[in-house]
Amino acid sequence: MATIADKLQLVRGRIARAVSEFGRPPGSVTLLAVSKTFPAVTVREAVAAGQHQFGENYVQEALDKIAELADLRDQITWHLIGPLQSNKTRVVAEAFDWVHTVDRLKIAQRLSEQRPAHLPPLQVCIQVNTSGEDSKSGVAPEEALALARAVAALPRLQLRGVMGLPAPSPDPAEQRRQLQAVRVVFDLLQSEGLPLDTLSMGMSADLEVAVEQGSTLVRVGTALFGQR
Ligand SMILES: *Cc1c(COP(=O)(O)O)cnc(C)c1O
């Protein structure tokens, strides 16, 4: 049976091949290991295999894991990649290093106010909704610039980029179109002078297309840890 170390090597290989195939600079794509639903011991195994960036979706589950892994705190960068309700912003501002899912100014303001003074600014991405579904989280592309400017002005947040979570599609062309739409928003914000370095998109099934479309951080769960 493949160990987590084996699977990390496979996924890093996929990323490296895509980076090379699409002419991206070596080392320009970071692997975020999505450990949601997997126990702390699994994260521990991945850290031992050299993985240090982890993504979690569910706030309470993540807080429990972060507490269990307190001895590894300085070896792990914790990213919240799931939806964030305003009643959870304080615990998130206290426990996480990154939040990828900022899609409303109110949430960003609370995170900035609640980020403890002894910690560095919380690193954040604006989540953009490119599927056009009203029910999905994420700011509409045409509202992303205004939100990004407001978030960038908050003192205890550092705006790093844009996050995209395309609706799953059996049609590769549709998948590519949505990833490209996230990229267009990222380019627009950069061209407006926002100093962004992170385009968070791509998962187990579509990381190659995401790298083709300019992703700098792919969020991979299933390909590393198995089916949830
Ligand atoms: C679960 C999840 C992932 C990882 O998806 P896989 O298909 O398991 O790689 C990435 N991003 C977000 C936002 C997720 O919720």
Side-chain angles (χ1 to χ4, degrees):
M1 214 182 80
T3 64
I4 287 178
D6 294 334
K7 287 189 266 185
L8 271 167
Q9 202 179 357
L10 285 173
V11 170
R12 290 191 189 122
R14 282 176 63 187
I15 295 170
R17 272 191 300 281
V19 160
S20 152
E21 180 179 353
F22 300 115
R24 304 277 311 280
S28 58
V29 179
T30 297
L31 171 61
L32 180 65
V34 177
S35 44
K36 65 179 176 211
T37 79
F38 289 93
V41 65
T42 303
V43 174
R44 205 174 275 286
E45 197 179 332
V47 173
Q51 176 64 28
H52 300 284
Q53 309 277 334
F54 290 88
E56 289 282 337
N57 278 64
Y58 313 107
V59 173
Q60 191 53 52
E61 178 195 333
L63 295 177
D64 293 345
K65 236 176 270 184
I66 292 170
E68 264 189 82
L69 295 165
D71 59 309
L72 296 179
R73 189 65 187 87
D74 61 354
Q75 292 183 57
I76 299 180
T77 303
W78 289 105
H79 299 243
L80 180 68
I81 61 171
L84 176 55
Q85 308 300 326
S86 53
N87 63 350
K88 297 273 176 65
T89 53
R90 183 177 298 281
V91 286
V92 166
E94 289 170 354
F96 281 85
D97 303 295
W98 283 67
V99 174
H100 290 228
T101 46
V102 170
D103 61 359
R104 284 177 287 154
L105 184 55
K106 182 183 166 212
I107 293 283
Q109 284 167 333
R110 290 175 65 96
L111 289 170
S112 181
E113 282 161 18
Q114 294 167 343
R115 180 67 168 172
H118 70 276
L119 294 177
L122 188 65
Q123 309 297 298
V124 302
C125 292
I126 302 279
Q127 184 177 354
V128 178
N129 175 359
T130 50
S131 72
E133 294 170 37
D134 286 346
S135 59
K136 277 203 80 183
S137 11
V139 65
E142 57 274 20
E143 290 161 17
L145 178 59
L147 177 61
R149 284 199 171 120
V151 169
L154 293 169
R156 298 290 293 143
L157 302 186
Q158 183 171 0
L159 179 62
R160 296 292 296 270
V162 170
M163 184 269 215
L165 181 57
S169 167
D171 174 7
E174 169 60 16
Q175 202 75 12
R176 179 175 278 105
R177 193 196 63 72
Q178 286 201 40
L179 292 165
Q180 199 166 27
V182 183
R183 165 65 185 272
V184 165
V185 171
F186 179 72
D187 287 347
L188 170 77
L189 303 194
Q190 272 195 327
S191 74
E192 292 288 334
L194 290 159
L196 308 183
D197 63 6
T198 302
L199 179 51
S200 165
M201 61 184 196
M203 313 199 294
S204 294
D206 64 357
L207 75 86
E208 284 84 0
V209 188
V211 169
E212 177 200 63
Q213 295 302 324
S215 171
T216 70
L217 181 148
V218 291
R219 308 178 308 260
V220 177
T222 311
L224 290 174
F225 301 121
Q227 292 292 335
R228 292 179 289 271

